[in-house]
Coordinates of all heavy atoms in Angstrom, one line a residue:
F34 N 41.8 -54.8 181.5 CA 41.9 -54.0 180.3 C 40.7 -54.0 179.4 O 40.6 -53.3 178.4 CB 43.1 -54.4 179.5 CG 44.4 -54.2 180.2 CD1 45.2 -55.3 180.4 CD2 44.8 -53.0 180.7 CE1 46.4 -55.2 181.1 CE2 46.0 -52.8 181.4 CZ 46.8 -53.9 181.6
L58 N 35.7 -44.8 172.4 CA 36.1 -45.5 171.1 C 36.0 -47.0 171.3 O 36.4 -47.5 172.4 CB 37.6 -45.2 170.8 CG 38.0 -43.8 170.4 CD1 39.5 -43.5 170.6 CD2 37.6 -43.5 169.0
D132 N 43.6 -47.8 162.9 CA 44.7 -48.1 163.7 C 46.0 -48.3 162.8 O 45.8 -48.6 161.6 CB 44.6 -49.5 164.5 CG 43.6 -49.4 165.6 OD1 43.1 -48.3 165.9 OD2 43.4 -50.4 166.3
M133 N 47.1 -48.1 163.4 CA 48.4 -48.5 162.7 C 48.9 -49.8 163.2 O 49.1 -49.9 164.4 CB 49.4 -47.3 162.8 CG 50.6 -47.5 161.9 SD 50.1 -47.5 160.1 CE 49.9 -45.8 159.7
A159 N 45.9 -43.5 163.2 CA 47.0 -43.6 164.3 C 48.3 -43.5 163.6 O 48.6 -44.2 162.5 CB 46.9 -44.9 165.1
Q161 N 52.6 -43.7 164.6 CA 53.5 -44.2 165.7 C 54.8 -43.4 165.8 O 55.6 -43.4 164.8 CB 53.8 -45.7 165.4 CG 52.6 -46.6 165.4 CD 52.8 -47.8 164.6 OE1 53.4 -47.8 163.5 NE2 52.1 -48.9 165.0
Y163 N 57.5 -44.1 167.3 CA 58.8 -44.9 167.3 C 59.3 -45.1 165.9 O 60.5 -45.5 165.8 CB 58.7 -46.2 168.1 CG 57.8 -47.3 167.7 CD1 57.1 -47.3 166.5 CD2 57.6 -48.4 168.5 CE1 56.2 -48.3 166.1 CE2 56.8 -49.5 168.1 CZ 56.1 -49.4 166.9 OH 55.3 -50.4 166.6
R182 N 45.8 -39.6 165.7 CA 46.1 -40.0 167.0 C 47.5 -40.5 167.1 O 47.9 -41.4 166.4 CB 45.2 -41.3 167.3 CG 45.5 -42.0 168.6 CD 45.2 -43.5 168.5 NE 43.8 -43.7 168.3 CZ 43.3 -44.8 167.7 NH1 44.2 -45.8 167.3 NH2 42.1 -45.0 167.5
V184 N 50.5 -42.2 168.7 CA 50.8 -43.2 169.8 C 52.3 -43.4 169.8 O 53.0 -43.1 168.8 CB 50.0 -44.5 169.6 CG1 48.5 -44.2 169.7 CG2 50.4 -45.2 168.3
K185 N 52.8 -44.1 170.8 CA 54.3 -44.4 170.8 C 54.6 -45.6 169.9 O 55.6 -45.6 169.2 CB 54.7 -44.7 172.2 CG 54.8 -43.4 173.1 CD 55.4 -43.6 174.4 CE 55.3 -42.4 175.3 NZ 55.8 -42.6 176.6
G186 N 53.7 -46.5 169.8 CA 53.9 -47.7 168.9 C 54.0 -49.0 169.8 O 54.7 -49.0 170.8
A187 N 53.3 -50.0 169.4 CA 53.1 -51.2 170.3 C 53.7 -52.5 169.8 O 53.6 -53.5 170.4 CB 51.6 -51.4 170.5
Y188 N 54.4 -52.4 168.6 CA 54.9 -53.7 168.0 C 56.4 -53.9 168.2 O 57.1 -52.9 168.5 CB 54.5 -53.7 166.5 CG 53.0 -53.7 166.3 CD1 52.3 -52.5 166.3 CD2 52.3 -54.9 166.1 CE1 50.9 -52.5 166.2 CE2 51.0 -54.9 166.0 CZ 50.2 -53.7 166.0 OH 48.9 -53.7 165.9
K199 N 63.5 -46.4 174.4 CA 62.3 -45.8 174.8 C 62.4 -44.3 174.9 O 61.6 -43.5 174.4 CB 61.7 -46.4 176.1 CG 60.4 -45.8 176.5 CD 59.9 -46.5 177.7 CE 58.6 -46.0 178.2 NZ 58.3 -44.6 178.0
D203 N 60.2 -41.4 173.2 CA 59.5 -40.3 173.9 C 59.8 -38.9 173.4 O 58.9 -38.1 173.2 CB 59.9 -40.4 175.4 CG 59.4 -41.7 176.1 OD1 58.6 -42.4 175.5 OD2 59.7 -41.9 177.3
G227 N 47.5 -39.8 172.1 CA 47.1 -41.2 172.4 C 48.2 -41.8 173.3 O 49.0 -42.5 172.8
T228 N 48.2 -41.4 174.6 CA 49.3 -41.9 175.5 C 48.8 -41.8 176.9 O 47.9 -41.1 177.2 CB 50.5 -41.1 175.3 OG1 51.5 -41.5 176.2 CG2 50.3 -39.6 175.5
H229 N 49.4 -42.7 177.8 CA 49.2 -42.6 179.2 C 50.3 -41.9 179.9 O 50.4 -41.9 181.2 CB 49.0 -44.0 179.8 CG 48.1 -44.8 178.9 ND1 48.6 -45.7 178.0 CD2 46.7 -44.9 178.9 CE1 47.5 -46.3 177.4 NE2 46.4 -45.8 177.9
D230 N 51.3 -41.4 179.2 CA 52.5 -40.7 179.7 C 52.1 -39.3 180.2 O 52.1 -38.4 179.5 CB 53.5 -40.7 178.6 CG 54.9 -40.2 179.2 OD1 54.9 -39.5 180.2 OD2 55.9 -40.6 178.5
H254 N 43.5 -39.3 174.3 CA 42.8 -40.6 174.3 C 43.7 -41.7 175.0 O 44.9 -41.7 174.9 CB 42.7 -41.1 172.8 CG 41.7 -40.3 172.0 ND1 41.3 -40.7 170.8 CD2 41.0 -39.2 172.3 CE1 40.4 -39.8 170.3 NE2 40.2 -38.9 171.2
M255 N 43.0 -42.5 175.8 CA 43.7 -43.5 176.6 C 42.9 -44.8 176.5 O 41.8 -44.8 176.0 CB 43.8 -43.1 178.1 CG 44.7 -41.9 178.3 SD 45.1 -41.7 180.1 CE 45.8 -40.1 180.1
L256 N 43.5 -45.9 177.0 CA 42.9 -47.2 176.9 C 42.0 -47.4 178.2 O 42.4 -46.9 179.2 CB 43.9 -48.3 176.8 CG 44.9 -48.2 175.6 CD1 45.9 -49.3 175.6 CD2 44.1 -48.2 174.3
I259 N 43.4 -48.1 182.1 CA 44.7 -47.6 182.3 C 44.5 -46.1 182.7 O 43.9 -45.4 182.0 CB 45.7 -47.7 181.1 CG1 45.8 -49.2 180.7 CG2 47.0 -47.1 181.4 CD1 46.7 -49.5 179.6
R260 N 45.1 -45.7 183.9 CA 45.1 -44.3 184.3 C 43.7 -43.7 184.3 O 43.4 -42.6 183.8 CB 45.9 -43.4 183.3 CG 47.4 -43.8 183.2 CD 48.1 -43.2 184.4 NE 49.5 -43.2 184.2 CZ 50.4 -43.3 185.3 NH1 49.9 -43.4 186.5 NH2 51.7 -43.3 185.1
L277 N 39.4 -45.8 174.9 CA 39.2 -46.9 173.9 C 38.9 -48.2 174.6 O 39.7 -48.7 175.4 CB 40.6 -47.0 173.1 CG 40.6 -48.1 172.1 CD1 39.6 -48.0 171.0 CD2 42.0 -48.1 171.4
R291 N 49.7 -55.3 175.7 CA 49.4 -54.5 176.9 C 50.4 -54.9 178.0 O 50.9 -54.0 178.8 CB 48.0 -54.7 177.5 CG 46.9 -54.2 176.5 CD 46.8 -52.8 176.3 NE 47.7 -52.2 175.3 CZ 47.6 -52.2 174.0 NH1 46.6 -52.8 173.4 NH2 48.5 -51.7 173.2
L292 N 50.7 -56.2 178.2 CA 51.6 -56.6 179.2 C 53.0 -56.1 178.9 O 53.8 -55.6 179.7 CB 51.7 -58.1 179.3 CG 50.4 -58.8 179.8 CD1 50.6 -60.3 180.0 CD2 50.0 -58.2 181.2
E294 N 53.9 -53.4 177.4 CA 54.0 -52.0 177.6 C 54.4 -51.7 179.0 O 55.0 -50.7 179.4 CB 52.6 -51.3 177.4 CG 52.4 -51.0 175.9 CD 50.9 -50.9 175.6 OE1 50.1 -50.9 176.6 OE2 50.6 -50.9 174.4
R295 N 54.1 -52.7 179.9 CA 54.4 -52.5 181.3 C 54.6 -53.8 181.9 O 53.7 -54.4 182.5 CB 53.2 -51.7 182.0 CG 53.7 -51.1 183.3 CD 52.7 -50.1 183.8 NE 53.0 -49.7 185.1 CZ 52.3 -49.9 186.2 NH1 51.1 -50.6 186.1 NH2 52.6 -49.5 187.3
N298 N 52.9 -55.5 184.8 CA 51.5 -56.0 184.7 C 51.5 -57.5 184.8 O 50.6 -58.2 185.2 CB 50.8 -55.7 183.4 CG 50.4 -54.2 183.3 OD1 50.2 -53.6 184.4 ND2 50.2 -53.7 182.2
Ligands
FAD1 C1 43.8 -44.6 172.3 C2 45.0 -45.5 172.0 C3 45.1 -46.1 170.7 C4 46.2 -46.8 170.3 N1 46.3 -47.3 169.1 C5 47.5 -47.8 168.7 C6 47.7 -48.2 167.3 O1 46.8 -47.9 166.4 N2 48.9 -48.7 166.9 C7 49.9 -49.0 167.9 O2 51.0 -49.4 167.5 N3 49.7 -48.7 169.2 C8 48.5 -48.1 169.6 N4 48.4 -47.8 170.9 C9 49.3 -48.3 171.9 C10 50.6 -47.4 172.0 O3 51.4 -47.5 170.9 C11 51.4 -47.7 173.3 O4 51.9 -49.0 173.2 C12 50.7 -47.6 174.6 O5 49.8 -46.5 174.6 C13 51.7 -47.5 175.8 O6 52.5 -46.4 175.6 P1 52.2 -45.0 176.4 O7 52.1 -43.9 175.4 O8 51.1 -45.1 177.3 O9 53.6 -44.7 177.1 P2 54.5 -45.5 178.1 O10 55.7 -44.6 178.3 O11 54.6 -46.9 177.6 O12 53.6 -45.5 179.4 C14 53.4 -44.4 180.2 C15 52.8 -44.8 181.6 O13 51.5 -45.2 181.3 C16 51.2 -46.4 182.1 N5 50.9 -47.5 181.2 C17 51.2 -47.6 179.9 N6 50.8 -48.7 179.4 C18 50.3 -49.4 180.4 C19 49.7 -50.7 180.5 N7 49.6 -51.5 179.5 N8 49.2 -51.1 181.7 C20 49.3 -50.2 182.8 N9 49.9 -49.0 182.7 C21 50.4 -48.6 181.6 C22 52.4 -46.6 182.9 O14 52.2 -46.0 184.2 C23 53.5 -46.0 182.2 O15 54.5 -45.6 183.0 C24 47.3 -47.0 171.3 C25 47.2 -46.4 172.6 C26 46.1 -45.6 172.9 C27 46.1 -45.0 174.2

Side-chain angles (χ1 to χ4, degrees):
F34 299 122
L58 288 161
D132 286 359
M133 190 59 82
Q161 298 153 325
Y163 64 9
R182 171 211 297 156
V184 298
K185 289 189 185 174
Y188 296 83
K199 185 176 175 328
D203 293 353
T228 178
H229 316 94
D230 187 334
H254 290 189
M255 295 193 192
L256 303 179
I259 303 181
R260 299 277 194 214
L277 177 60
R291 298 291 81 80
L292 294 184
E294 279 154 12
R295 197 165 172 247
N298 285 337

